[in-house]
Every structure is written in C-alpha cells, then in structure tokens.
C-alpha cells in the first residue's frame, strides 16, 4: 500500500483528488492538509511517514518550492510530487534541482497520476 499525503489550499480540489486516488487499490490517502503549517506540525508528531506527498505549487502561506525543499531536507524518505494549474519549465527545473520525485499539471489524467505515483514510489522519480 502506498501511503499518500495531500497538501493544497483548494478544498474542493483536495477532496476530489482524494476520492480519485483512493479508488486505486494500492493507494491510500492517509491525510490531507490545507496549509504547510498544518502539514509540518503533523509530520513532527509522526513515527510513520507517508511514502508520497502531493503538494500544490501555489499557496498563500508558502509555495510548493519552499515546502518541497523542507520535505526533501528533513524527511528524505517522502517522495514529493508537485501539482500546479500552470505548467512552467522554471518550476519543473526547480523541482528537479530540489530532488523532487515529479511534477504534474492539475489537469493530468488519472492514468498519468497513477503512473507518476507508482514510479515515484518504486524508482524515486518520474519525469516525462
């Protein structure tokens, strides 16, 4: 079972994404967060960490680059997948520099999402 955390400030999006991901037998969304502060507070209290973190690249409190940098440094076993409504080569390259596992547009297909999560979990990365 691949354990997944979701971080996004858009409530409707995060609930829809959770539902889609949980329909995949080998995936389980363990927790959802609407702010980086909630996420980091929660992570400090955990003995068992998720395998994957899907993180929105644009949030009011902190952007996905900042969050990804902290996760990669403090929690290197968590594979970070950035999500964005806007495709940007700059964001993709920045995520690569940070050793994030992948970057996906929010309008991606469920098949590509499954492939990305599985590859990030099994290989440590997925870039197409």
């Amino acid at each position: 079972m691949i354990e997944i955390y979701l971080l996004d400030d858009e409530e409707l999006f995060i609930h829809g994404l959770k539902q889609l991901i949980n329909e995949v037998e080998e995936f389980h969304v363990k927790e959802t967060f609407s702010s980086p502060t909630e996420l980091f507070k929660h992570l400090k209290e955990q003995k068992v960490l998720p395998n994957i973190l899907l993180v929105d690249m644009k949030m009011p409190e902190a952007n996905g680059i900042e969050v990804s940098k902290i996760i990669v440094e403090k929690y290197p076993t968590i594979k970070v997948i950035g999500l964005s409504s806007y495709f940007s080569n700059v964001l993709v390259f920045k995520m690569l520099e940070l050793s994030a596992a992948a970057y996906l547009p929010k309008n991606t297909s469920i098949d590509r999402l499954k492939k990305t999560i599985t590859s990030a979990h099994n290989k440590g990365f997925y870039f197409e």
Side-chain angles (χ1 to χ4, degrees):
M1 182 70 64
I2 299 174
E3 298 286 339
I4 301 165
Y5 280 6
L6 304 178
L7 171 60
D8 196 299
D9 63 320
E10 297 176 24
E11 188 175 340
L12 187 59
F13 177 79
I14 205 165
H15 288 292
L17 183 59
K18 178 181 177 179
Q19 240 181 340
L20 285 171
I21 290 172
N22 281 337
E23 288 177 4
V24 180
E25 189 175 324
E26 60 271 8
F27 297 168
H28 173 67
V29 175
K30 191 171 181 179
E31 298 287 342
T32 64
F33 305 92
S34 60
S35 78
T37 300
E38 289 176 12
L39 170 70
F40 291 126
K41 182 181 177 197
H42 179 82
L43 285 172
K44 285 180 186 177
E45 300 167 353
Q46 299 308 299
K47 288 183 171 59
V48 178
L49 298 173
N51 306 109
I52 301 286
L53 170 65
L54 292 168
V55 60
D56 184 13
M57 298 308 294
K58 189 174 181 182
M59 296 174 286
E61 186 181 311
N63 69 40
I65 298 289
E66 295 163 340
V67 171
S68 299
K69 183 176 181 180
I70 293 167
I71 294 294
V72 168
E73 289 174 1
K74 290 189 175 186
Y75 306 98
T77 60
I78 300 174
K79 303 304 178 214
V80 178
I81 299 173
L83 295 172
S84 181
S85 297
Y86 309 98
F87 182 82
S88 162
N89 285 336
V90 173
L91 281 177
V92 173
F93 290 125
K94 191 66 177 168
M95 293 298 283
L96 282 170
E97 285 177 10
L98 293 173
S99 299
Y103 176 91
L104 285 172
K106 284 186 173 180
N107 68 349
T108 196
S109 70
I110 189 66
D111 288 335
R112 185 169 179 201
L113 178 65
K114 286 193 266 185
K115 189 176 181 181
T116 302
I117 291 171
T118 302
S119 180
H121 179 259
N122 294 337
K123 298 177 184 173
F125 66 94
Y126 179 82
F127 285 99
E128 200 174 74

